[in-house]
Amino acid sequence: MTMVEAIRSTLHNEMAREERMIMLGQDIGLNGGVFRATDGLQAEFGAHRVVDTPLAEAVIVGTSVGLAAAGMIPVPEIQFSPFAWQAWHQIAGQVARLRQRSQGRHGMPITIRMPFGGGVRAPELHQESIVAQFANVPGLKIVCPASAADARGLLASSIRDPDPVIFLEPLRGYRMIKGDVPDGDHLVPLGVASLVVPGNDVVVITWSAQVEVARKAAALVAAETGATIAVLDLRCLVPLDVAAIAAIVDQCGRAVVVDEGPLTSSFAAEVIATIQEECFYSLEAPVARVTGYDTPFPTGLLEDGFVPDVDRVARALRRTLDARP
Amino acid sequence: MTMVEAIRSTLHNEMAREERMIMLGQDIGLNGGVFRATDGLQAEFGAHRVVDTPLAEAVIVGTSVGLAAAGMIPVPEIQFSPFAWQAWHQIAGQVARLRQRSQGRHGMPITIRMPFGGGVRAPELHQESIVAQFANVPGLKIVCPASAADARGLLASSIRDPDPVIFLEPLRGYRMIKGDVPDGDHLVPLGVASLVVPGNDVVVITWSAQVEVARKAAALVAAETGATIAVLDLRCLVPLDVAAIAAIVDQCGRAVVVDEGPLTSSFAAEVIATIQEECFYSLEAPVARVTGYDTPFPTGLLEDGFVPDVDRVARALRRTLDARP
Amino acid sequence: MTVVESSAVDLSSWPPERLRQMLFDMVQARRNSERFFALQRQGRAGTSAPITGQEATVVGAAHALDPTTDWIVPQYREQVALARFGEEVLATHCLYNRGHPAGSAYPEHVRVFPAQISLAAQIPQALGLAWGMQLRKEQGVAAVFFGDGSSSEGDFYEAGNFAGVLKAPLIMVLVNNQWAISTPTSKQTAAATFADKAKAFGIPGIRVDGNDVIAVHDVVAEARTRALAGNGPTLIEAFTFRMGYHTTADDPSRYVPEDQAREWAERDPIPRFTARLTNAALWSEADSTEALRRADETFDRLFAAAEANSPMPDAFFNHVFANPPQRLLDQRHAFNEGREQ
Amino acid sequence: MTVVESSAVDLSSWPPERLRQMLFDMVQARRNSERFFALQRQGRAGTSAPITGQEATVVGAAHALDPTTDWIVPQYREQVALARFGEEVLATHCLYNRGHPAGSAYPEHVRVFPAQISLAAQIPQALGLAWGMQLRKEQGVAAVFFGDGSSSEGDFYEAGNFAGVLKAPLIMVLVNNQWAISTPTSKQTAAATFADKAKAFGIPGIRVDGNDVIAVHDVVAEARTRALAGNGPTLIEAFTFRMGYHTTADDPSRYVPEDQAREWAERDPIPRFTARLTNAALWSEADSTEALRRADETFDRLFAAAEANSPMPDAFFNHVFANPPQRLLDQRHAFNEGREQ
Ligand SMILES: Cc1ncc(C[n+]2csc(CCOP(=O)(O)OP(=O)(O)O)c2C)c(N)n1
Ligand SMILES: Cc1ncc(C[n+]2csc(CCOP(=O)(O)OP(=O)(O)O)c2C)c(N)n1
Ligand SMILES: [Mg+2]
Ligand SMILES: [Mg+2]
């Protein structure tokens, strides 16, 4: 099953399971979403539960706050993640805070879905990775599945979670990522990283579509060097599985962190800061980061140079393996 | 001179110097700004150059983009930094990009002024430090003076800089920070950190109002332990003075980074990631970070527990000095 | 746009106790503001935003609502005037004023939403509440308060526009007190009236004399009837005046013209309604004295309770999440350890 | 709100060459869209947003402006129809289509602002441009295009409202093509018309038949006169129809009712204006053939030039800053080293 189909069918299951769930967003109804992630859901559940909204992100998120307070389970969609900026004051200033502001009365069981990441040559402001900006907002959980099965398990957990979740779907993975997906009620807990490739010499830590890039780079460099190279899929940036990070870095002594966003103040920096706090005495080499650059996400002809690819991750792996302890 | 007076007089000087400069924001005119940072400027330069706008941050920033394209030098004010979220799409998606989008035709010599930081017991959404969110937006410069003299020198440089600058003024420092300010055309270049206290054993790296906290903590722990403790004032987060950071960390081998924002994805994480990239082999202890917590900025009765203070920085210094190499 | 004033309305159809209660609530509201202000000047209370001059708007609207079914979504100035929704509103607001984390934590049965500082952000939220009630087939409305200043924010327009599409049971009370801190409405908009903005949403827009508590009550009641009948939202511009400070941190003498202040002092809603009820033999000077006495008694009791309520230093770690991440638990632990050192 | 149609307008007062040029521009605009579309299907071009059906709106407006003094601030669909502002617009837009970093880099003398993807964000920017010209005492206006969908964003309202206050020389052209991707206007707003939204700003709002190039021209010209006289902005709703795909990535058969598509095919602005000019003996079939030929010739030439223009792989480091930080220079260096390995 493709990732988009895993998402669609999970949304379907959750809608069937929980009548208080409501989906809202631009073009998610009749059109089934610009990536068909909501295809057929309006026909099945009605236009009052799968709602085509006006073109206004702040009110999509802002009404979700009120819907939640009224006892609904809102699952809004932002068509492309940089358009979450139009709703930033509602996300960072409201969604993330209403529970505390009301001391628990108004929980915000909102899951804001949005695609992100490079690789499809869309116009600007479609493919940016802004995870680090979300991650700096206390009160949000941030979930980034890398496989079709995790898309199901993490999406179901996110929707059922009583806290607000930013659910990031990899744009180029919608159709490219395929895999078996457990039937029915498959739940993956939030905050548990997955060691998708075990290894002892160095670990690549990443999430979402970059997990596949990491796997390939790891295989390539492992074949070249004979090293065993682990890949850790964080799955969630918040809650961050610090224990899993610490365990594998302590074991390997070397790490590379891959992040599609720009370098400065990237989430990769957070991972590195955490590593050096937790694993300082087991580190044998500086932790490398492979990220985008401190430039806007490039236009189509140039984007391949920006998004971390197998070549760049492999080079970082070689450099990290070669570094003297 | 207080910091707010240094800012006011510098705005005055720049307005007098450059007739294309225009200031716009809420209550900056007749009222002279809620902190009096623009007091008297409308009377002197006229209501067409010191403009009281409607209560709408996105259009304050959005018109600044157009004003800049029309050849003006806009200096908008956001009344409190979290209200920049209302304009986030214009700041991150537009101000930071128009130069590249137009390949240099539409430079954005915009300086967006705003106060930030804790310590004055204001209602929520007034005191948050959101520097890490700004820093993750390529195309912005981020300037945070810690002294009255730097407020003048950095503000003048920011206004004259052809690139967009987020100019962050420490809320609790407006009146508390005082010092001599050079007369007239005092410029401090953007991107040059200042070693405000030299030292050899450990360095505290910070910016804005926390520089004073760092100084006090450094003095305290130095007196206790006999260690010499340096304090590096970054002054600008972008451009980041990586060379200055590397030099002092290489020299001391130990560092503490202080940031008023929440822990996760803080700018402190970026500083630490940079340090471990640049200085891995000279580090003798994990770099400590002293930040806020992963909670919303607390209400008045509780905020003292959140904002890093002398006690917390001192504890981090002691722990870092004690760590085995 | 319809403009409504009530001078012609016959009070005899009103239950006398309701009229007296409205005046009492207005007197109490002002008294609360004065008390917060004085305590702030003494260093015992935090920043506050007085309701002085706008009591008729808030009290009139609140009395047109049913506290058991309807929601009030305030900005930050109305809380002192919401006695209709229970004494708990003021009790909680005393905590708010002190910077207590529970300062917007109204008890479950009090249908008042937390105070909003991010201006206009409450309007989409109120729409969501109204829409949610509609979806859940609950008979109720959401009434959202916001200022003339807030009406310049995109959130107001996005919400008004979507509300029109949804025909949600929403009442938008735009409190035009003619100032947003130091910014007069002439700099806020060129629209002929704020009520005119309803045209952009395809919904009714009504301008009402906001210093006339009966008029306000009636237009809100009418909007409520319309909303409950499924006929959608209403934008109500309550035209009033902020008679005092924006907040305790403000100095209006810098910008409010003296003439305007004088003119509006004469239109003060409290003497006005007092005179009306006195003429109708429903109120006496003794009532005014008694109203103040009761207001003070209530305020003293609630503020004292708030002063006695000290949060634990680590209380800001509460309620960030229902299921807090381990990392946050660790931070709380470290915080508490640090404090114990 | 005024509704304008032009059937009554006498064309004899118009210079024939201007009329012919407008029709030519319309034919070329559609042809450009068709060419981009076909090339995308062949894998030679990127995503594009056809102007088909809306040519009269853009061409009529552009011809009411003076390219030497006025700015056009487009959304993303108008660029193929802006020949009035110079061939460079299409030349640059060919680069845009290919994903070239210079795809919005119009030459200095071309007063067209970069394409906007973040919907409605261009409207405050256009206001800033207009305001800037006003402050600098330049005689010119800014005309901003945006869709019915974009009109739901806060940026539209915030800008319209502030424009009213500033009385800035701004012309807001709201292109109501009845769809925002798959969202019909009935889900976008309950306002009677989009022109009605001008009431919220206290400015004139005019609805014009957007498929009538003369009518569009005239209302824009009138708005321009008003703006230059210092009488402020105008909101113009051009009522038209998106006859084809939202973009090359879209499938309108999923949502556009067949009836509507049929009805509007009959109101196609190009046959309509062709018939009118033909009746006035100003156009012939040969002209249509020649127009297409010239359009193709231009397109071929400009697209070929764009195809031949390959940016350096590190070009995305250009123009981030005027004074790039050392850190960015280091990143560029590392990027180039990596590539050389
Ligand atoms: C988004 C946002 N911008 C700015 C402010 C700062 N601020 C607080 S109150 C105020 C004026 C509000 O005016 P209005 O909406 O008319 O309400 P009033 O104070 O008159 O009741 C401003 C600008 C804010 N709280 N939120
Ligand atoms: C802020 C923002 N939200 C969402 C989108 C995605 N999007 C691209 S085009 C479009 C529809 C635009 O409709 P309209 O404004 O009517 O213009 P039209 O395409 O009809 O010309 C949407 C939703 C976007 N580009 N920007
Ligand atoms: Mg007001
Ligand atoms: Mg449209």
Side-chain angles (χ1 to χ4, degrees), chain B residues 105, chain D residues 67-68 85-86 88 106-112:
Chain B
R105 179 180 184 187
Chain D
T68 65
F85 277 64
E88 296 92 334
Y106 301 107
E108 199 66 43
H109 66 281
V110 176
R111 294 168 83 89
V112 174

Side-chain angles (χ1 to χ4, degrees), chain D:
Chain D
M1 197 211 47
T2 329
V3 182
V4 178
E5 283 185 58
S6 81
S7 28
V9 172
D10 180 8
L11 292 188
S12 64
S13 62
W14 279 74
E17 269 320 305
R18 172 56 73 89
L19 294 168
R20 285 171 52 79
Q21 187 65 46
M22 291 201 297
L23 182 49
F24 178 79
D25 288 357
M26 289 167 64
V27 171
Q28 183 188 25
R30 179 165 305 182
R31 192 63 176 171
N32 291 337
S33 293
E34 290 166 353
R35 296 296 308 276
F36 276 128
F37 204 90
L39 286 166
Q40 190 274 343
R41 290 297 192 251
Q42 294 161 30
R44 275 177 67 198
T47 309
S48 63
I51 196 71
T52 313
Q54 306 171 206
E55 297 86 350
T57 293
V58 188
V59 170
H63 275 266
L65 301 173
D66 180 342
T68 65
T69 59
D70 300 334
W71 277 94
I72 282 199
V73 181
Q75 193 158 287
Y76 47 69
R77 201 182 287 286
E78 295 78 24
Q79 288 80 356
V80 291
L82 294 179
R84 164 97 171 147
F85 277 64
E87 193 179 273
E88 296 92 334
V89 182
L90 183 58
T92 307
H93 198 60
C94 286
L95 292 172
Y96 183 89
N97 174 272
R98 295 195 62 239
H100 192 290
S104 273
Y106 301 107
E108 199 66 43
H109 66 281
V110 176
R111 294 168 83 89
V112 174
F113 217 59
Q116 184 55 269
I117 289 299
S118 180
L119 290 171
Q122 73 273 23
I123 311 175
Q125 296 170 9
L127 172 59
L129 266 174
W131 182 15
M133 289 191 279
Q134 190 186 44
L135 288 168
R136 306 192 73 178
K137 306 215 172 10
E138 293 171 11
Q139 280 288 307
V141 305
V144 58
F145 289 85
F146 56 100
D148 44 288
S150 300
S151 81
S152 292
E153 289 282 0
D155 275 6
F156 158 61
Y157 294 101
E158 291 190 11
N161 187 54
F162 194 18
V165 175
L166 289 171
K167 280 192 173 293
L170 177 71
I171 304 177
M172 305 172 85
V173 185
L174 190 161
V175 185
N176 175 4
N177 65 5
Q178 305 185 56
W179 293 93
I181 310 186
S182 73
T183 309
T185 49
S186 61
K187 292 190 177 161
Q188 211 65 251
T189 191
T193 69
F194 286 92
D196 263 350
K197 293 179 188 272
K199 283 274 189 340
F201 314 144
I203 67 173
I206 296 165
R207 186 185 225 218
V208 63
D209 178 349
N211 283 11
D212 180 336
V213 68
I214 300 296
V216 173
H217 173 280
D218 288 354
V219 298
V220 174
E222 200 188 305
R224 183 171 185 274
T225 306
R226 190 162 41 239
L228 291 180
N231 294 322
T234 303
L235 173 65
I236 296 170
E237 173 188 357
F239 185 53
T240 178
F241 184 68
R242 193 194 78 206
M243 288 177 66
Y245 298 72
H246 166 65
T247 66
T248 41
D250 173 50
D251 175 7
S253 72
R254 291 175 73 95
Y255 55 81
V256 174
E258 276 179 34
D259 286 1
Q260 191 192 31
R262 236 190 329 267
E263 183 196 328
W264 280 85
E266 280 163 28
R267 296 158 79 166
D268 185 332
I270 293 185
R272 187 167 154 190
F273 196 46
T274 305
R276 206 159 167 199
L277 291 199
T278 306
N279 283 345
L282 292 171
W283 194 267
S284 70
E285 247 189 75
D287 287 322
S288 290
T289 313
E290 171 63 7
L292 283 176
R293 195 199 56 73
R294 271 168 54 201
D296 275 336
E297 180 272 327
T298 305
F299 188 91
D300 287 338
R301 180 165 45 82
L302 301 180
F303 194 80
E307 274 188 317
N309 183 337
S310 288
M312 297 294 288
D314 69 345
F316 64 88
F317 287 99
N318 293 335
H319 302 298
V320 181
F321 293 102
N323 297 328
Q326 187 57 41
R327 191 169 220 201
L328 188 58
L329 300 174
D330 291 347
Q331 288 174 37
R332 186 175 197 153
H333 186 69
F335 173 84
N336 284 320
E337 275 199 331
R339 281 287 165 251
E340 283 153 20
Q341 282 188 349

